[in-house]
Amino acid sequence: MRIGAIEAGGTKFVCGIGNEEGVIEDSVSFPTEHPEVTMARVIAYFQEKDVDAIGIGSFGPLDIGPTSPTYGYVTTTPKPGWANYNVLGELKQSFPVPYGWDTDVNAAAFGEAKWGAAKGLDSCVYYTVGTGVGVGIYSEGKLVHGLVHPEGGHVLTRRHPKDTYAGSCPYHGDCLEGMAAGPALEARWQVKGHELPANHPAWEIEAFYIAQAVTSTILMISPKKVILGGGVMQQSHLFPMIREEVRRNLNGYVSAEAILNLIETYIVPPELGNSAGLCGALALGIEALRDL
Amino acid sequence: MRIGAIEAGGTKFVCGIGNEEGVIEDSVSFPTEHPEVTMARVIAYFQEKDVDAIGIGSFGPLDIGPTSPTYGYVTTTPKPGWANYNVLGELKQSFPVPYGWDTDVNAAAFGEAKWGAAKGLDSCVYYTVGTGVGVGIYSEGKLVHGLVHPEGGHVLTRRHPKDTYAGSCPYHGDCLEGMAAGPALEARWQVKGHELPANHPAWEIEAFYIAQAVTSTILMISPKKVILGGGVMQQSHLFPMIREEVRRNLNGYVSAEAILNLIETYIVPPELGNSAGLCGALALGIEALRDL
């Protein structure tokens, strides 16, 4: 069985071929340009690869409502050329196979649930904190879609008492993404995040916002694992700070062993590392084949 | 088919008998006292009723993990006698039938999804705002359990700029329940909520907190319907205030018709009214029979 996988990111695309065990056998990566250019490269890559199905985890917002007339489209993105672009339709013309189609973060959550940090569990939440903040949710053995799809990067925040930064989100100002994504870090301190030393006060504020969102996520949907990925989370000293702040926030209210005594194995980095997205797309492809 | 239903509330218990169409044929209600007293009344009610299954929606926190050794217990409640009380075990001794067991709010969400405001939809969120704040979540056709179960009443809040009230939650102070439940309203204004006129500033603050939680819920799990019940929501003038504030919070970010143009039918009171909990318990009982 040869499954195609596409991690369609706002900055770069990764295409690969994998098998049912989650092993990526081949992959390529290229920058995200105008859709005509980028999709031509995607199609060229899968040409003669003879795939049985293709899974796609895409940047959004997307239409993932199976009965919607614009199912398979990227919808309201400001990215030039991509607004209301029919990704799935374009691919189907070249490769008439079953397709899995979901958000990049739902794909990453699914990949981690199948082969990574949440392996064997029927629920997990995947946060990516990078250029933006995205959240993928796997709950009761299913990826959560709902009315549109989770957009947990934009939840409202309680402000850190020492933080006067207005927030960078054009929609909400000081929502989670507006306060904690890479651009917010950079705007607040006037220096790239990775140039700030581990003992810089920036990280206490960063951990405060991420922990706040994780706390509300735990209270809201009670995931069995919280996975934090993305560029900002490469700063691994954030993990203990976030765990401590989450435990302080919850204050013993959720009496689960995983939180009270094993939080180091509860709030974790992605086990699939940078491959979480591509592996997740692979998992979506496998699922599409099974759902036939 | 005769299905037993139990709405096990912290203040009162409601027991009933219903059928597969969601019709409650008989019911009784009594105050929640010490478990020996209350459970004896429950058992007496179902005696000779010859039920095929029983569904229970209970106050919590609960153990709803099917493989847990304490599945069926109420766990860490401060309610005298109920902490670590084996509700399900007690009932099973008298009635050896299949059981459905979930939180009171999950049951209400399920009832509304089967026969009420979210009928025909595969997702909804049910908030109860009363003595406390509870949240039930039905997503992708399943009730959400996860690590423990949703405890969305305790999410952290951003403070209303004119609100100086410290918050009434013994765990978190100014979490949602601490700021918006009935006791918080009463403590903030020194008068019972229902005695405050509709134009009192109390309601703007109340709507602010509830709308904040609803906004984050929409962003986080994208439900197809948001149902707001409980004693505080009997103040029906809160609905337009909450809808307006949610729309202001989202600021056009979630481009769904239901939110942009039909929010009056998206954020709604329970259609089953006060029967949501009992109907939900009935639905859990029916499900238990189907899952055999």
Side-chain angles (χ1 to χ4, degrees):
Chain A
M1 199 76 68
R2 291 165 66 78
I3 313 287
I6 306 172
E7 183 186 358
T11 310
K12 65 171 181 167
F13 266 57
V14 188
C15 297
I17 304 286
N19 66 21
E20 280 171 295
E21 277 74 50
V23 179
I24 303 287
E25 289 152 1
D26 182 70
S27 72
V28 293
S29 158
F30 38 84
T32 308
E33 298 172 75
H34 201 273
E36 266 97 85
V37 179
T38 303
M39 292 303 287
R41 295 187 76 165
V42 171
I43 288 164
Y45 174 76
F46 288 110
Q47 219 61 267
E48 286 157 44
K49 290 281 198 307
D50 196 28
V51 291
D52 298 292
I54 297 177
I56 310 155
S58 177
F59 72 101
L62 307 180
D63 188 336
I64 56 174
T67 61
S68 161
T70 53
Y71 176 75
Y73 284 57
V74 170
T75 58
T76 53
T77 178
K79 193 163 267 297
W82 289 93
N84 301 311
Y85 183 81
N86 185 358
V87 176
L88 212 52
E90 194 60 30
L91 287 166
K92 278 180 177 170
Q93 283 184 19
S94 298
F95 312 105
V97 295
Y99 282 85
W101 167 251
D102 217 312
T103 65
D104 46 4
V105 270
N106 263 359
F110 197 36
E112 289 289 331
K114 258 188 113 88
W115 302 301
K119 193 175 166 179
L121 302 179
D122 64 0
S123 73
C124 71
V125 167
Y126 183 97
Y127 270 86
T128 179
V129 187
T131 314
V133 178
V135 186
I137 304 179
Y138 182 67
S139 170
E140 302 291 321
K142 296 200 166 206
L143 289 170
V144 171
H145 301 144
L147 185 66
V148 184
H149 50 68
E151 281 286 3
H154 292 264
V155 293
L156 305 176
T157 59
R158 171 188 295 197
R159 196 165 261 282
H160 186 286
K162 290 186 207 146
D163 188 17
T164 56
Y165 177 57
S168 65
C169 176
Y171 287 90
H172 316 111
D174 56 1
C175 68
L176 176 62
E177 180 169 301
M179 296 310 258
L185 247 179
E186 198 178 327
R188 190 185 282 114
W189 304 103
Q190 301 292 314
V191 48
K192 295 261 179 206
H194 66 263
E195 290 167 16
L196 294 163
N199 62 356
H200 192 282
W203 301 116
E204 186 210 317
I205 290 179
E206 184 69 15
F208 172 89
Y209 289 112
I210 299 172
Q212 190 181 132
V214 169
T215 302
S216 287
T217 304
I218 292 169
L219 289 163
M220 199 68 203
I221 51 172
S222 201
K224 290 184 181 168
K225 195 75 79 174
V226 175
I227 303 163
L228 305 178
V232 170
M233 294 309 303
Q234 299 289 326
Q235 307 290 328
S236 59
H237 59 272
L238 277 171
F239 279 92
M241 299 170 83
I242 291 168
R243 291 179 188 125
E244 197 188 322
E245 180 77 7
V246 166
R247 202 137 61 173
R248 192 160 38 224
N249 285 341
L250 288 172
N251 196 20
Y253 184 73
V254 179
S255 65
E257 191 64 8
I259 294 168
L260 298 177
N261 297 313
L262 300 166
I263 202 163
E264 293 75 16
T265 61
Y266 179 65
I267 299 174
V268 296
E271 209 169 286
L272 303 172
N274 292 333
S275 306
L278 194 61
C279 286
L282 177 60
L284 291 172
I286 294 168
E287 192 86 343
L289 211 50
R290 282 209 191 121
D291 285 352
L292 282 186
Chain B
M1 199 77 68
R2 290 166 67 77
I3 313 287
I6 307 172
E7 183 186 358
T11 310
K12 65 170 182 167
F13 266 57
V14 188
C15 298
I17 303 285
N19 66 21
E20 281 171 294
E21 279 74 50
V23 178
I24 303 286
E25 290 152 0
D26 182 71
S27 72
V28 294
S29 158
F30 38 85
T32 308
E33 297 173 76
H34 202 273
E36 265 97 86
V37 179
T38 303
M39 292 303 287
R41 296 187 77 165
V42 171
I43 288 163
Y45 174 76
F46 287 109
Q47 219 61 266
E48 287 157 43
K49 291 281 196 307
D50 197 28
V51 292
D52 299 291
I54 298 177
I56 310 155
S58 178
F59 74 100
L62 307 180
D63 188 337
I64 57 174
T67 61
S68 161
T70 53
Y71 177 75
Y73 284 56
V74 170
T75 59
T76 53
T77 177
K79 195 163 266 298
W82 289 93
N84 301 310
Y85 182 82
N86 186 359
V87 176
L88 213 51
E90 194 62 28
L91 287 167
K92 278 179 178 170
Q93 283 184 18
S94 298
F95 312 105
V97 295
Y99 282 85
W101 167 251
D102 217 311
T103 64
D104 45 6
V105 269
N106 262 359
F110 198 37
E112 289 290 331
K114 258 188 113 87
W115 302 301
K119 193 174 166 179
L121 302 179
D122 64 0
S123 73
C124 71
V125 166
Y126 183 97
Y127 270 85
T128 179
V129 187
T131 315
V133 178
V135 185
I137 304 178
Y138 182 66
S139 170
E140 302 291 320
K142 296 199 165 205
L143 289 170
V144 171
H145 301 142
L147 185 66
V148 182
H149 50 68
E151 280 287 3
H154 293 264
V155 294
L156 306 176
T157 59
R158 170 189 296 198
R159 197 165 260 283
H160 186 286
K162 291 186 208 146
D163 188 16
T164 55
Y165 177 56
S168 66
C169 176
Y171 286 91
H172 314 113
D174 55 1
C175 68
L176 175 62
E177 179 169 302
M179 296 309 258
L185 248 180
E186 197 178 329
R188 190 186 283 114
W189 303 103
Q190 301 293 315
V191 47
K192 296 261 180 206
H194 66 263
E195 291 168 17
L196 294 163
N199 62 357
H200 192 281
W203 301 116
E204 186 210 318
I205 291 179
E206 184 68 15
F208 171 89
Y209 289 113
I210 298 171
Q212 190 181 132
V214 169
T215 302
S216 288
T217 303
I218 292 169
L219 289 163
M220 198 67 203
I221 52 172
S222 200
K224 291 183 180 170
K225 195 75 79 175
V226 175
I227 303 162
L228 305 178
V232 171
M233 294 309 304
Q234 299 289 325
Q235 307 290 329
S236 59
H237 59 271
L238 276 171
F239 279 92
M241 299 172 84
I242 291 168
R243 291 177 190 127
E244 197 188 321
E245 179 78 7
V246 165
R247 203 138 59 172
R248 192 159 37 223
N249 285 340
L250 288 172
N251 196 20
Y253 185 74
V254 178
S255 64
E257 191 63 8
I259 294 168
L260 298 177
N261 297 314
L262 300 165
I263 202 162
E264 293 75 14
T265 61
Y266 179 66
I267 299 174
V268 296
E271 209 169 289
L272 303 172
N274 292 333
S275 308
L278 193 63
C279 286
L282 176 60
L284 291 173
I286 294 168
E287 191 87 342
L289 211 50
R290 282 209 190 121
D291 286 351
L292 282 186

